[in-house]
Each structure stands twice: as structure tokens, then as C-alpha cells.
Amino acid sequence: MKHHHLGSLDVGRLGLGTMGMSTAYTGAGSDDAESIRTIHRALDLGVTLIDTAEIYGPYVNEELVGRAIAGRRDEVVLATKFGLVSHGGDGPWHLDSSPANVRVALEASLRRLGTDHVDLYYQHRVDPATPIEETVGALSELVAEGKVRHIGLSEAGPDTIRRAHAVHPIAALQSEYSLWTRDPEARALAVLRELGIGLVAYSPLGRGFLTGAIRTIDDFAVDDSRKNNPRFMGENFVHNLRAVDEVTSLAAEIGATPAQVALAWVLAQGDDVVPIPGTKRVARLEENLAADDVDLTSEQLDRLTSVTPAAGDHHNAEQMLMIER
């Protein structure tokens, strides 16, 4: 696999998001053995960046990843996240990036992951109650102690990125980025490139929508998070199928799958952009990673860049409030 860079961090240019193995999507947690096989196969095929978070589950996804990488830790650029669990009493889904919470969260993540350090440690969402300088200051202490190798942010706005980077180098910003979620282009990408910070693109397949496999949400489980995502609702869903059909049409022309084409577009946006498509199945992983060999022409890239824009926000209203704009 070709490699990209996140700041000074060298990674395979396609990573693996593991959230859906344990939570949020239909079938999550139903086959941990297959999920572990998927992580192992990813490493075999040259993936290095494995992405998890304490909130996924919560906690159980880190435990799963820890089991999967046991004995193969040296092959992994291990990324996890803090800040959506307040360990001082409020619990999961409460923003807390206070220095004390950062340290407690990391120690717990290290135990679950079975390691003595995290290669890339992200603030999962910006905590408006804690100045970013205090949070990054605490993270820099963990870097000095060898427990964190690189610091990341997630869904932070330009001002926060600049203030954080002034305290300690930021390696990566994680943000949703795909053919139908282009927000980083206007909000953050110029700042990232000015400062030498990489972009890790989560949901690069639009939560599976851009694969072309989703034509109805009737097949989703009741607790599937996409049931509450505006892009999967009513008229928005019907409208958004146009983009899928456009990607599917181009994929048929070049002998690739829609997923491979959508990922190839993200990869073409720069050698500082690393998509982390998530899957819990080996077959889907292998399909996704084949995007590494898909070279799109300038005309094809232009066609994809011009696909029908998505209707609806890419998170529900509560989650959108946690994203800096």
C-alpha cells in the first residue's frame, strides 16, 4: 500500500475505522471473531492506522481492538479518542476535556487496548468549557511521558486548530469528509495545510451510502444510528440516491465498485488526506483497500466532484452542535 503523512506521522494511506464493529450500525457486536479477522487482514494488506475511541460502545470497541492487535502492536499506528466521556461523574456523551479527565481517560484506554502508549490521541470533540490550551497542555505532558506519540483533534474549527498547534504540534484533524460531506474544504483544509497537519477522513463512504448497497433503511435495525441521520430520512434519502447513482455509473465505466471510486476520490485530494472506511467484514475490507490501485483521470475526478450535493445534515441536530464551524 502507498503511504500518506499526517504531520510527521507516516501511515498507510487507507486506514481502518472500527466503530461499526461494536456500535452504531446494524449487526454491530454480533461477530467479534470476524471483526478481529478483519483487523488482522487489514494489517496483512498494509493498513497501519487503526482507529477507535473510548465512546464506541462505550469502551467495548477499545477492548476488541486490544484483543485484535495483541502480538502485532508494532505493526499498528494506534489511534483512539477522549472527550466524549466525563470520568468525573457525568459519564458517556458528556463533553469533558479538562486536564484531569484527559489523564484518567488515557490510562483507562491504555488498559483496554493492552498497550503502554497511543500513537495518535485525539480530542473527540472540542469542549467549550475547557480552553484548548489547557487540554493540549495536558496532552503535551503525556507526550513527554511517552504515553502519547502524536496529538490529534476532531471536528475542530480553524481558530481552535491554530490555538492548539501553538501549544504543541497537532498531527491530524479527524473530520467527516467524502463526496457528499465536503465541509473541511471550506472550514479547515487551508489551515491544516498551512500548519502541516493531516486530515483523517471518517465516514468516507457516507456511512455505507456511497457503496450503492443501501436502497432502503427498512433493513436497518431499530438502534441503527442512521435511522436518526437526516440524510437517511424521507425526501433527503430519495434525493441522495442521485449521488449514489452517479458514482455507480462511473464505477461501471471503469470496472470498479462504487466504494472504490468514492475512496479513490478522497485519496486523490492530497497525500495529507487519509480515509478510514469502517467495516466489520473481511470481504468488504478487501474491496475497500483495492481503492489503493484505482487511478482516476482528471475528467473522472471532475465528474465526481460535481456529483449531486447531499441533502440534510451529516449528523443529527444534537451531534451537529458538537462540531465547530
Side-chain angles (χ1 to χ4, degrees):
M1 180 183 293
K2 305 177 190 75
H3 278 223
H4 281 180
H5 284 86
L6 304 170
S8 62
L9 186 59
D10 179 271
V11 294
R13 68 175 187 154
L14 282 153
L16 176 63
T18 63
M19 180 189 74
M21 296 177 176
S22 303
T23 189
Y25 298 145
T26 299
S30 62
D31 193 344
D32 283 357
E34 175 67 4
S35 293
I36 289 173
R37 283 192 293 271
T38 299
I39 294 172
H40 289 170
R41 183 60 175 152
L43 299 177
D44 293 341
L45 293 174
V47 170
T48 60
L49 181 61
I50 304 294
D51 184 273
T52 182
E54 64 174 359
I55 193 64
Y56 297 161
Y59 314 129
V60 294
N61 191 248
E62 285 187 326
E63 293 169 352
L64 174 69
V65 170
R67 295 198 302 273
I69 66 174
R72 304 188 68 171
R73 178 66 181 89
D74 291 345
E75 302 174 53
V76 179
V77 175
L78 182 59
T80 192
K81 311 176 199 73
F82 71 91
L84 282 178
V85 179
S86 175
H87 295 276
D90 291 331
W93 296 109
H94 289 85
L95 294 172
D96 190 346
S97 288
S98 63
N101 198 65
V102 171
R103 186 170 288 275
V104 171
L106 177 65
E107 294 298 338
S109 288
L110 292 176
R111 287 194 299 272
R112 288 188 289 267
L113 292 163
T115 186
D116 62 357
H117 72 280
V118 172
D119 297 294
L120 180 56
Y121 198 39
Y122 292 101
Q123 181 192 44
H124 208 153
R125 293 291 186 272
V126 176
D127 175 11
T130 305
I132 192 64
E133 291 84 358
E134 293 183 12
T135 300
V136 177
L139 291 168
S140 68
E141 293 176 1
L142 296 171
V143 172
E145 294 170 19
K147 295 179 179 181
V148 171
R149 299 288 169 83
H150 299 268
I151 298 171
L153 304 173
S154 182
E155 297 291 16
D159 180 64
T160 297
I161 295 167
R162 288 187 185 279
R163 290 166 54 201
H165 194 71
V167 176
H168 188 280
I170 302 300
L173 174 76
Q174 187 169 134
S175 188
E176 183 166 349
Y177 187 44
S178 69
L179 280 170
W180 76 339
T181 303
R182 308 280 290 281
D183 303 43
E185 294 174 356
R187 284 193 308 119
L189 202 50
V191 174
L192 298 181
R193 288 179 168 155
E194 174 192 335
L195 300 176
I197 300 170
L199 175 65
V200 174
Y202 75 85
S203 295
L205 295 173
R207 295 172 178 77
F209 198 74
L210 294 172
T211 68
I214 299 171
R215 307 300 295 188
T216 174
I217 64 169
D218 293 340
D219 295 333
F220 292 165
V222 173
D223 60 350
D224 191 307
S225 64
R226 290 170 291 190
K227 290 264 191 178
N228 295 314
N229 186 299
R231 292 193 176 173
F232 290 81
M233 294 179 177
E235 293 182 2
N236 287 349
F237 184 92
V238 175
H239 170 93
N240 290 333
L241 286 173
R242 298 178 197 168
V244 176
D245 291 342
E246 291 160 14
V247 174
T248 300
S249 176
L250 192 151
E253 292 175 23
I254 67 173
T257 68
Q260 290 162 359
V261 167
L263 290 171
W265 180 88
V266 177
L267 290 169
Q269 302 313 302
D271 60 8
D272 54 356
V273 179
V274 177
I276 50 169
T279 183
K280 56 184 178 293
R281 296 189 296 274
V282 170
R284 183 65 79 182
L285 169 84
E286 293 175 343
E287 175 189 348
N288 291 344
L289 296 188
D292 188 43
D293 296 320
V294 176
D295 293 318
L296 299 169
T297 67
S298 58
E299 184 273 336
Q300 290 163 351
L301 287 169
D302 288 344
R303 282 176 58 186
L304 291 168
T305 300
S306 300
V307 296
T308 300
D313 284 335
H314 55 98
H315 284 292
N316 64 34
E318 182 180 13
Q319 291 171 330
M320 287 300 293
L321 291 175
M322 297 183 185
I323 296 175
E324 284 198 336
R325 306 198 187 198

